[in-house]
Amino acid sequence: MTRRKIREAIYLLLFRVEFHPPELMDEQVELFFDSDNWPDNATDGERDYVRTKFGMIADRIDEIDAAVDSNSKNWTTSRMSRSDLTIIRLAVYEILYDDDIPTSVAINEAVELAKKYGQDSSGGFVNGVLAKFA
């Protein structure tokens, strides 16, 4: 799998956080890996990487949301679309906690996800929010 596909898988898992209580997330992760969203040819290493990174982000959602709220002028996480917020959470995690991913790559990939999964204005919105972290 490409890094972009792996990031997209993490996004799709993170999006589930908005709709399921924490105690059901282990089940949701397994359902995700059994769904059409997860490629049959993915390796065990890719599965482990996605599961681990998802867990690290999910464990820090409150911290990430606080950072987004403090850096977003006139916007709070409670006002953002769930799709945009999920993309922003993933990118902010990569910017603040993942030293292997350059900030510019995290932002660019977030904008691409926003164009795919968000509204027409999502790419610009996500870029604007994340620019405060750059």
Side-chain angles (χ1 to χ4, degrees):
M1 289 175 67
T2 65
R3 288 181 185 252
R4 181 169 283 177
K5 285 293 185 189
I6 289 172
R7 185 177 279 105
E8 186 174 348
I10 295 166
Y11 160 77
L12 292 170
L13 269 174
L14 278 175
F15 191 72
R16 292 177 182 222
V17 168
E18 293 299 313
F19 303 100
H20 301 284
E23 61 271 11
L24 295 180
M25 286 314 300
D26 286 340
E27 179 183 353
Q28 286 300 310
V29 169
E30 292 310 314
L31 288 170
F32 173 79
F33 287 133
D34 290 335
S35 75
D36 291 338
N37 289 317
W38 186 250
D40 293 334
N41 64 344
T43 67
D44 290 341
E46 290 165 337
R47 179 187 294 252
D48 292 343
Y49 179 82
V50 167
R51 183 190 319 266
T52 300
K53 189 164 180 178
F54 162 75
M56 290 188 298
I57 297 168
D59 288 345
R60 288 197 159 127
I61 283 181
D62 291 338
E63 282 176 54
I64 293 167
D65 286 358
V68 172
D69 285 340
S70 68
N71 283 289
S72 302
K73 188 174 182 177
N74 300 324
W75 281 94
T76 60
T77 53
S78 64
R79 291 185 56 216
M80 294 178 188
S81 77
R82 301 295 93 185
S83 177
D84 291 351
L85 176 58
T86 302
I87 293 165
I88 290 167
R89 284 173 172 163
L90 173 55
V92 169
Y93 175 84
E94 290 179 341
I95 292 166
L96 297 180
Y97 304 106
D98 194 333
D99 295 333
D100 294 334
I101 299 174
T103 297
S104 60
V105 171
I107 293 172
N108 182 62
E109 291 296 321
V111 170
E112 292 303 315
L113 279 173
K115 288 177 183 177
K116 182 172 183 176
Y117 289 101
Q119 302 170 18
D120 290 341
S121 61
S122 290
F125 175 73
V126 166
N127 189 53
V129 171
L130 295 177
K132 303 288 187 191
F133 290 89

